[in-house]
């Protein structure tokens, strides 16, 4: 018998046992639908993350940090992440662009709205990378000295503009409180109405020859001088303001290693705020003290250090070679491409776990195939006897039952894939409606890639054929004489 003959005979037998065949196939349909639905959820999430990485250009983005004590390095001998380091890193083969994370605290005013926020200085070249390409409305600024600003959609809503288009062209007043050396020195001379002369009057000059009194006076005056300086430096801050036009509204990037502030200012325009003094953040002040740049001239950027820098890589260059070159310079790196590899590994185990659950359901359904085929042998002994008497050997009888179980698996798998896809579509529509009602960005939770369809076909038909091995072997051993005599 040919394969065509085996398929025709098998389908004819299933058609004669409609109810039993329907119930058996239904078990396969439900098992495959569960298998496809669960793996489709994993595939959908994996596709969503992959699309996010690609849209944001994260595969060609790398973060660089100074070494810290947590990784066992000697921070005293580690190089600083300053402008000199930026020049060295920019010369590494495969690096297209290098820009630092340069952020500061600001107050923004638009109409009657006054809120605290954070701004970040960026070059125009950085704005043109994929990382900042998600503009909700408007455009990027023209050059590094443009008197324009880009805000996030979240900040626009806080300022009272729910539609991104409605805030384009508005004037945004940005204010920064800065600490200056002059304010610190001024408080040394006069603080809370007390002058230097008032303090001198309290000193007993005749007792200065006494070493203990002299040490006491020196310690007291030094402590008082430091306290007055810091009081003036931190609390008597100046306010630097500028008015910039909003030229664009961008999507707020997801949190994590990406540090992008709600306000982006052209790097040259932002120097007006940074050259006026140090920001009011105590962290910034103590960082300047530790780096020895507290008393540097504001316009002197040679001693300025950064907490991190971002690199835009050439997509045709392996990120591993760039990573090794930068780490050889003494810095710590974070590669989004490496992170994606770890995510893929996690998804592999996640899909494997979901697949095992679906496979258990499929194996359970295959027991129905075994039961159906074993009962079929009892009912079809005469048919088996006739086929053997006409010259069919054990191999052909075994093949007949294996093909029949394969047909059950094929029909059940095809219908199960369609049923599983329908379920995921219904769940996806309900989920998207819920996300929309809650103001959550909509995302597709499920996906049905071709590899999943092929795996479902292979597993469904394979398990069904395996389930038919025992009944097929049993059918092939039926004695034709015994079968015809009993009939």
């Amino acid at each position: 018998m040919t394969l065509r003959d085996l398929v025709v005979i098998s389908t004819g037998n299933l058609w004669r046992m409609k109810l039993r065949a329907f119930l058996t196939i239904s078990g396969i349909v439900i098992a495959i639908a569960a298998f496809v639905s669960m793996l489709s959820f994993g595939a959908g999430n994996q596709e969503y993350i992959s699309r996010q990485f690609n849209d944001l250009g994260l595969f060609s983005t790398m973060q660089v940090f100074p070494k810290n004590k947590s990784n066992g390095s000697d921070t005293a001998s580690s190089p600083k992440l300053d402008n000199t380091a930026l020049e060295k890193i920019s010369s590494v083969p495969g690096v297209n662009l290098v820009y630092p994370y340069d952020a500061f605290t600001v107050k923004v005013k638009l109409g009657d709205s006054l809120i605290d926020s954070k701004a970040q200085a960026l070059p125009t070249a950085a704005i043109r990378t994929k990382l900042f390409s998600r503009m909700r409305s408007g455009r990027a600024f023209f050059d590094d000295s443009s008197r324009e600003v880009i805000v996030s959609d979240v900040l626009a809503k806080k300022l009272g503009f729910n539609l991104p288009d409605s805030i384009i062209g508005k004037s945004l007043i940005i204010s920064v409180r800065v600490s200056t050396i002059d304010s610190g020195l001024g408080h040394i001379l006069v603080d809370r109405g007390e002058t230097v002369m008032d303090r001198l009057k309290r000193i007993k000059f005749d007792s200065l020859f006494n070493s203990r009194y002299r040490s006491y006076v020196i310690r007291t005056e030094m402590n008082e001088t430091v306290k007055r300086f810091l009081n003036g430096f931190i609390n008597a801050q100046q306010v630097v303001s500028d008015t910039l036009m909003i030229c664009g509204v961008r999507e707020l990037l997801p949190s994590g290693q990406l540090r992008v502030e709600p306000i982006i200012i052209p790097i040259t325009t932002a120097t007006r705020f940074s050259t006026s003094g140090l920001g009011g953040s105590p962290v910034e002040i103590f960082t300047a003290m530790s780096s020895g740049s507290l008393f540097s001239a504001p316009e002197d950027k040679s001693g300025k250090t950064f907490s991190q820098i971002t690199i835009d890589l050439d997509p045709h260059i392996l990120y591993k070679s760039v990573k090794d070159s930068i780490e050889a310079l003494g810095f710590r790196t974070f590669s989004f491409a490496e992170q994606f590899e770890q995510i893929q590994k996690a998804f592999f185990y996640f899909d494997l776990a979901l697949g095992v659950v679906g496979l258990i359901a499929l194996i359970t359904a295959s027991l129905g195939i075994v039961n159906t085929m074993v009962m079929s042998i009892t009912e079809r002994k005469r048919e088996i006897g006739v086929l053997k008497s006409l010259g069919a050997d054990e191999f052909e009888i075994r093949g007949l039952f294996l093909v029949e179980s394969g047909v059950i698996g094929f029909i059940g798998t095809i219908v199960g894939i369609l049923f599983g896809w329908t379920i995921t579509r219904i769940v996806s529509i309900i989920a998207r409606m819920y996300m929309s009602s809650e103001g959550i960005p909509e995302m597709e939770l499920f996906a049905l890639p071709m590899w999943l369809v092929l795996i479902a076909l292979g597993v469904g038909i394979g398990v069904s054929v395996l389930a038919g091995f025992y009944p097929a072997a049993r059918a092939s051993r039926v004695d034709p004489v015994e079968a015809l005599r009993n009939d």
Side-chain angles (χ1 to χ4, degrees):
M1 289 185 289
T2 64
L3 179 62
R4 181 177 179 277
D5 295 332
L6 294 175
V7 172
V8 170
I9 296 173
S10 298
T11 53
N13 289 329
L14 293 175
W15 182 253
R16 285 194 299 271
M17 301 181 296
K18 297 183 184 65
L19 179 60
R20 187 186 302 166
F22 172 77
L23 294 176
T24 305
I25 292 174
S26 296
I28 300 296
V29 169
I30 295 172
I32 289 293
F35 181 81
V36 169
S37 300
M38 287 187 287
L39 285 183
S40 179
F41 178 72
N45 282 270
Q46 189 170 357
E47 280 193 11
Y48 173 77
I49 293 176
S50 178
R51 188 167 55 251
Q52 291 287 312
F53 269 65
N54 186 61
D55 291 346
L56 290 173
L58 296 184
F59 292 115
S60 58
T61 301
M62 184 180 292
Q63 305 281 358
V64 180
F65 308 88
K67 285 191 175 179
N68 52 33
K69 293 181 180 179
S70 62
N71 55 20
S73 61
D74 183 8
T75 55
S77 59
S78 299
K80 295 179 181 178
L81 199 57
D82 52 15
N83 287 309
T84 302
L86 262 64
E87 293 177 2
K88 291 181 180 179
I89 293 173
S90 62
S91 63
V92 173
V95 174
N96 289 336
L97 178 66
V98 179
Y99 52 92
Y101 173 73
D102 191 5
F104 45 94
T105 304
V106 299
K107 279 187 178 292
V108 293
K109 187 176 188 303
L110 181 56
D112 296 330
S113 300
L114 178 65
I115 61 176
D116 293 319
S117 186
K118 293 204 75 174
Q120 182 176 3
L122 281 177
T124 308
I127 295 297
R128 292 171 180 162
T129 61
K130 268 189 173 183
L131 191 59
F132 301 95
S133 61
R134 288 188 169 185
M135 299 292 289
R136 296 288 303 277
S137 181
R139 55 171 176 79
F141 35 75
F142 289 119
D143 52 55
D144 292 343
S145 57
S146 297
R147 298 186 61 76
E148 297 173 323
V149 65
I150 299 174
V151 299
S152 70
D153 49 2
V154 175
L155 179 64
K157 288 182 179 180
K158 288 182 179 180
L159 292 171
F161 295 86
N162 292 322
L163 298 176
D165 291 336
S166 59
I167 200 174
I168 300 297
K170 301 292 184 182
S171 295
L172 188 69
I173 301 175
I174 299 178
S175 302
V176 178
R177 295 180 64 87
V178 297
S179 300
T180 63
I181 300 299
D182 293 340
S183 62
L185 294 176
H187 272 251
I188 292 178
L189 299 176
V190 179
D191 186 26
R192 294 187 291 273
E194 186 181 45
T195 65
V196 175
M197 294 303 298
D198 294 332
R199 296 205 307 274
L200 289 175
K201 291 177 180 179
R202 294 200 300 267
I203 298 175
K204 300 176 181 179
F205 290 94
D206 294 340
S207 301
L208 289 176
F209 294 102
N210 186 299
S211 60
R212 293 183 62 183
Y213 180 74
R214 186 169 62 249
S215 299
Y216 166 77
V217 170
I218 292 173
R219 287 196 304 270
T220 302
E221 289 303 313
M222 286 184 65
N223 289 332
E224 186 68 19
T225 299
V226 172
K227 183 180 74 173
R228 286 168 174 259
F229 176 80
L230 291 177
N231 182 43
F233 191 76
I234 296 175
N235 298 322
Q237 296 174 325
Q238 297 180 2
V239 178
V240 180
S241 299
D242 203 351
T243 302
L244 304 176
M245 186 191 78
I246 299 175
C247 65
V249 179
R250 60 171 182 82
E251 288 187 18
L252 185 66
L253 295 178
S255 59
Q257 291 289 340
L258 285 174
R259 298 173 66 184
V260 182
E261 303 303 341
I263 301 172
I264 297 178
I265 304 174
I267 192 166
T268 303
T269 305
T271 55
R272 168 172 166 73
F273 303 107
S274 59
T275 58
S276 301
L278 288 173
S281 170
V283 175
E284 185 177 350
I285 293 172
F286 286 111
T287 299
M289 292 173 63
S290 62
S291 64
S293 60
L294 180 64
F295 297 106
S296 301
E299 62 275 6
D300 180 17
K301 297 298 179 182
S302 59
K304 186 172 184 178
T305 59
F306 307 102
S307 59
Q308 73 177 58
I309 66 172
T310 302
I311 300 175
D312 184 65
L313 304 173
D314 184 345
H316 302 99
I317 302 294
L318 290 175
Y319 72 88
K320 186 70 168 59
S321 62
V322 179
K323 172 185 171 70
D324 293 341
S325 299
I326 294 174
E327 290 183 347
L329 294 174
F331 301 107
R332 184 166 50 93
T333 63
F334 173 83
S335 171
F336 290 97
E338 283 188 336
Q339 184 190 42
F340 185 74
E341 289 180 358
Q342 296 301 318
I343 292 174
Q344 281 186 312
K345 290 180 181 178
F347 269 114
F348 172 77
Y349 292 114
F350 179 67
D351 291 341
L352 187 62
L354 293 178
V356 168
V357 175
L359 191 61
I360 291 173
L362 186 58
I363 292 173
T364 303
S366 70
L367 297 178
I369 297 177
V370 176
N371 179 64
T372 297
M373 302 300 293
V374 170
M375 292 180 64
S376 179
I377 293 171
T378 305
E379 296 171 354
R380 294 162 56 189
K381 277 190 176 183
R382 175 179 172 76
E383 178 186 338
I384 296 172
V386 170
L387 289 173
K388 282 196 170 185
S389 65
L390 293 175
D393 56 19
E394 291 187 359
F395 177 78
E396 289 176 320
I397 299 298
R398 187 183 297 111
L400 175 63
F401 279 83
L402 288 177
V403 169
E404 190 168 323
S405 61
V407 169
I408 292 175
F410 178 77
I411 297 173
T413 300
I414 294 296
V415 178
I417 291 173
L418 295 175
F419 187 43
W421 179 81
T422 303
I423 292 173
T424 60
R425 290 303 89 207
I426 295 172
V427 174
S428 179
I429 291 172
I430 295 174
R432 291 168 77 95
M433 290 174 60
Y434 174 77
M435 293 175 190
S436 179
S437 64
E438 295 294 323
I440 303 172
E442 295 184 16
M443 61 172 286
E444 181 56 61
L445 296 175
F446 301 92
L448 190 63
M450 184 54 64
W451 63 263
L452 178 53
V453 174
L454 295 176
I455 287 177
L457 278 171
V459 170
I461 297 174
V463 171
S464 299
V465 171
L466 287 174
F469 262 97
Y470 169 71
R474 184 171 173 178
S476 66
R477 292 194 297 269
V478 171
D479 185 352
V481 176
E482 183 75 20
L484 293 174
R485 180 186 298 120
N486 289 341
D487 189 69

